[in-house]
Amino acid sequence: MSEHLGDRKAIEHLIGRPLAQEWPRDAMAAGTRVTVVQDENGAGPWRQVFTGTISGMAAPEPVDHPMAHDGELAYWVDFDEPQHDISDDGPYRKAQIWARYLRAD
């Protein structure tokens, strides 16, 4: 849990606001095993399909983006193995990922 606290504090510092802690009622629960998939219309946003776990570091938040689906949430996911995104940035050990790229295992 201390790893989550350190990560949460670092992210809050970067974004300039507290991360959400109130879990949406219909959201996947922290601890849910997921597969992170690529966009069905092409490659990305990750270089490959991989597995991880919904993080308890912060609650899912609505995606604020013109391409988001109505009510789409973004989840913090802890990766089983560090990953690079499609731009070859990384490796990342966790990231905030839109629900459309997550499949509960």
Side-chain angles (χ1 to χ4, degrees):
M1 198 51 111
S2 62
E3 176 185 330
H4 286 317
L5 180 60
D7 287 348
R8 186 175 74 231
K9 287 181 180 241
I11 291 166
E12 288 174 341
H13 179 74
L14 287 172
I15 65 175
R17 67 170 176 81
L19 289 171
Q21 295 300 306
E22 187 174 328
W23 218 265
R25 190 172 135 183
D26 295 332
M28 287 186 279
T32 301
R33 296 286 301 153
V34 293
T35 299
V36 180
V37 300
Q38 292 182 313
D39 190 304
E40 59 190 39
N41 297 318
W46 298 94
R47 288 175 53 190
Q48 62 185 14
V49 173
F50 59 93
T51 56
T53 305
I54 300 294
S55 177
M57 176 185 74
E61 297 184 75
V63 177
D64 182 19
H65 190 279
M67 293 177 65
H69 298 154
D70 278 348
E72 186 167 13
L73 296 173
Y75 291 82
W76 285 98
V77 178
D78 296 320
F79 302 160
D80 290 348
E81 301 287 332
Q83 298 294 322
H84 288 84
D85 65 17
I86 197 68
S87 300
D88 207 29
D89 292 331
Y92 299 102
R93 58 185 177 84
K94 74 172 50 179
Q96 194 175 39
I97 300 181
W98 293 14
R100 71 180 73 187
Y101 302 116
L102 299 174
R103 303 292 176 264
D105 291 344

